[in-house]
């Protein structure tokens, strides 16, 4: 192998004289790079842009937002149910209220009509805080008075309590089932629509032609089946179709499902007691 003779040594390589530029060969020597990096763990959610925090639906949001939505919806629902049945039992046990209802039977139309009016207003203003909460409270108060009027017709309050606890157990069980299920319950919509119209028509007939206890029992069983499916369907739709800011609409849907399920179970127990 041939070698070449160099007449002078190679040039000496030294750092550039421009001290304004940092040495990026060593990360530890650069204060800009040391100060960069991920945020603290407890500020991770706050550092995310809103587009990453909130998806189109609750199920598509980050875990913290999903859990916050669940707590908000079911806290509102729990307060609604506590207020409804608290006022309901007060109306059913209050002698003054009973006397007033007997003297003014037409007063029962006030909570019925008021429920529809306040429901429409609540839906209209559901995104306007705090008006939405005030209207939701008014709607709940109207429903509580209506439930109280229904409960007051039962001399045996044990039946009412049994129906309430059965409703609570069924509702919680169906909710837990829907949360862990991977099935898409959206396909139930056509069947539920047909079922609810059938129940409404059947109920209107009962206003003019009183049902026997057996027919009333069958009607109650069909109602329990229908509104149990509604609990599953609405729970699925809330978390897979609604955004986190629709908590008012979500709580109203579940609240009405609970009341209708309760009234159907109460009808069953009442029919069995008559028999």
């Amino acid at each position: 192998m041939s070698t070449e003779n160099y007449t002078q040594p190679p040039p000496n390589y030294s750092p550039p004289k421009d001290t304004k530029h940092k040495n990026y060969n060593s990360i530890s020597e650069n204060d800009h790079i040391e100060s960069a990096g991920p945020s603290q763990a407890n500020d991770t959610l706050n550092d995310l842009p809103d587009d990453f925090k909130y998806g189109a639906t609750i199920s598509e949001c980050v875990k913290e937002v999903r859990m916050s939505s669940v707590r908000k919806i079911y806290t509102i629902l729990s307060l609604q149910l506590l207020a409804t049945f608290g006022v309901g039992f007060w109306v059913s046990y209050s002698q003054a209220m009973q006397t007033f209802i007997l003297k003014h039977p037409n007063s029962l139309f006030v909570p019925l009509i008021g429920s529809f009016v306040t429901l429409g207003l609540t839906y209209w203003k559901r995104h306007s805080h705090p008006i939405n909460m005030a209207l939701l409270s008014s709607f709940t108060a109207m429903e509580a008075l209506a439930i109280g009027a229904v409960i007051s017709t039962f001399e045996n309050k044990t039946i009412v309590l049994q129906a309430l606890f059965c409703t609570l157990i069924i509702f919680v069980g169906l909710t837990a089932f829907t949360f862990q299920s991977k099935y898409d319950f959206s396909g139930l919509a056509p069947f539920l629509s047909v079922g609810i119209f059938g129940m409404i028509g059947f109920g209107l007939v009962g206003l003019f032609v009183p049902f026997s206890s057996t027919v009333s029992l069958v009607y109650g069983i069909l109602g329990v089946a229908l509104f149990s499916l509604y609990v599953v369907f609405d729970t699925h739709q809330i978390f897979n179709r609604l955004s986190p800011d629709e908590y008012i609409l979500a709580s109203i849907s579940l609240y009405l499902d609970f009341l209708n399920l309760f009234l159907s179970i109460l009808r069953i127990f009442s029919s069995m007691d008559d028999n």
Side-chain angles (χ1 to χ4, degrees):
M1 177 181 297
S2 62
T3 60
E4 297 182 4
N5 296 323
Y6 296 97
T7 58
Q8 58 183 0
N12 185 21
Y13 294 97
S14 59
K17 296 181 179 181
D18 187 3
T19 59
K20 294 183 180 179
H21 297 284
K22 299 293 182 180
N23 178 18
Y24 291 100
N25 293 329
S26 175
I27 295 179
S28 62
E29 296 177 3
N30 192 306
D31 55 349
H32 288 285
I33 295 181
E34 284 182 348
S35 62
S39 304
Q40 298 297 325
N42 55 356
D43 292 332
T44 302
L45 181 62
N46 295 329
D47 290 343
L48 287 173
D50 288 342
D51 290 343
F52 289 92
K53 289 186 202 175
Y54 298 95
T57 63
I58 294 176
S59 62
E60 294 174 346
C61 297
V62 297
K63 181 179 178 181
E64 289 82 357
V65 177
R66 289 200 308 271
M67 297 305 297
S68 176
S69 298
V70 170
R71 287 194 296 268
K72 182 180 292 186
I73 291 171
Y74 284 94
T75 297
I76 294 174
L77 176 63
S78 299
L79 293 175
Q80 284 182 283
L81 294 176
L82 286 173
T84 298
F85 287 98
V87 174
F89 278 101
W90 171 75
V91 171
S92 65
Y93 280 105
S94 174
Q95 189 63 40
M97 290 297 297
Q98 294 297 311
T99 303
F100 179 81
I101 293 174
L102 291 175
K103 291 182 177 180
H104 307 88
N106 292 331
S107 62
L108 296 176
F109 289 101
V110 174
L112 294 177
I113 298 174
S115 295
F116 286 104
V117 174
T118 53
L119 177 60
L121 292 174
T122 304
Y123 179 82
W124 178 39
K125 292 292 186 180
R126 66 188 185 277
H127 296 144
S128 301
H129 188 79
I131 298 176
N132 54 1
M133 299 306 296
L135 290 172
L136 182 65
S137 300
S138 300
F139 168 70
T140 304
M142 294 294 103
E143 287 292 320
L145 293 174
I147 291 295
V150 172
I151 295 176
S152 63
T153 61
F154 290 86
E155 294 182 1
N156 186 3
K157 296 300 187 294
T158 303
I159 293 177
V160 179
L161 290 174
Q162 289 174 343
L164 178 59
F165 285 119
C166 286
T167 304
L168 184 62
I169 292 172
I170 293 174
F171 187 88
V172 172
L174 291 174
T175 301
F177 164 75
T178 308
F179 278 160
Q180 60 83 35
S181 178
K182 302 298 182 181
Y183 184 76
D184 185 2
F185 296 100
S186 301
L188 292 174
F191 304 100
L192 294 177
S193 298
V194 173
I196 194 64
F197 281 113
M199 294 290 291
I200 292 174
F202 205 73
L204 291 175
V205 172
L207 293 176
F208 302 99
V209 182
F211 296 145
S212 65
S213 59
T214 302
V215 176
S216 182
L217 176 63
V218 173
Y219 184 72
I221 294 174
L222 293 176
V224 169
L226 177 65
F227 293 112
S228 294
L229 291 177
Y230 260 110
V231 172
V232 174
F233 175 78
D234 285 340
T235 303
H236 176 269
Q237 293 296 95
I238 285 169
F239 293 100
N240 293 278
R241 296 291 185 271
L242 296 184
S243 59
D245 63 340
E246 292 286 3
Y247 56 91
I248 293 292
L249 182 59
S251 61
I252 288 177
S253 298
L254 296 176
Y255 175 71
L256 292 176
D257 290 342
F258 188 98
L259 292 187
N260 284 308
L261 183 60
F262 164 74
L263 293 174
S264 296
I265 294 176
L266 185 60
R267 180 183 291 272
I268 292 175
F269 287 175
S270 177
S271 300
M272 294 174 63
D273 187 63
D274 291 342
N275 289 333

